[in-house]
Amino acid sequence: MLLRSGRFRELEEQGIVVRKVFPEVPPKVEYSLSDIGITLNPILSQLCDWGKTYHTYMET
């Protein structure tokens, strides 16, 4: 899934991701999960599992 930079900035403002800017040309920016963002991993994993189950269900 691709996110626009505006979405990443919203997540940064909410403390879910950390933005690191590298002083390079061309500019380089990396995003990573913050400590609180990492706590979303189990929830996102369960949602992913559900999505796979739903996809299989829809194929039958």
Side-chain angles (χ1 to χ4, degrees), residues 32-52:
S32 59
L33 289 174
S34 66
D35 289 342
I36 195 68
I38 289 171
T39 66
L40 289 169
N41 278 337
I43 298 163
L44 296 174
S45 179
Q46 287 180 344
L47 185 59
C48 183
D49 291 344
W50 179 88
K52 290 174 184 175

Side-chain angles (χ1 to χ4, degrees), residues 1-56:
M1 171 173 58
L2 295 175
L3 294 177
R4 297 187 328 244
S5 61
R7 296 282 185 213
F8 278 117
R9 295 240 170 105
E10 289 176 20
L11 293 170
E12 180 186 16
E13 289 171 7
Q14 296 167 353
I16 297 170
V17 298
V18 176
R19 181 175 183 250
K20 183 175 181 181
V21 180
F22 296 87
E24 300 178 0
V25 176
K28 178 181 174 183
V29 178
E30 288 183 357
Y31 291 90
S32 59
L33 289 174
S34 66
D35 289 342
I36 195 68
I38 289 171
T39 66
L40 289 169
N41 278 337
I43 298 163
L44 296 174
S45 179
Q46 287 180 344
L47 185 59
C48 183
D49 291 344
W50 179 88
K52 290 174 184 175
T53 301
Y54 182 73
H55 179 74
T56 302

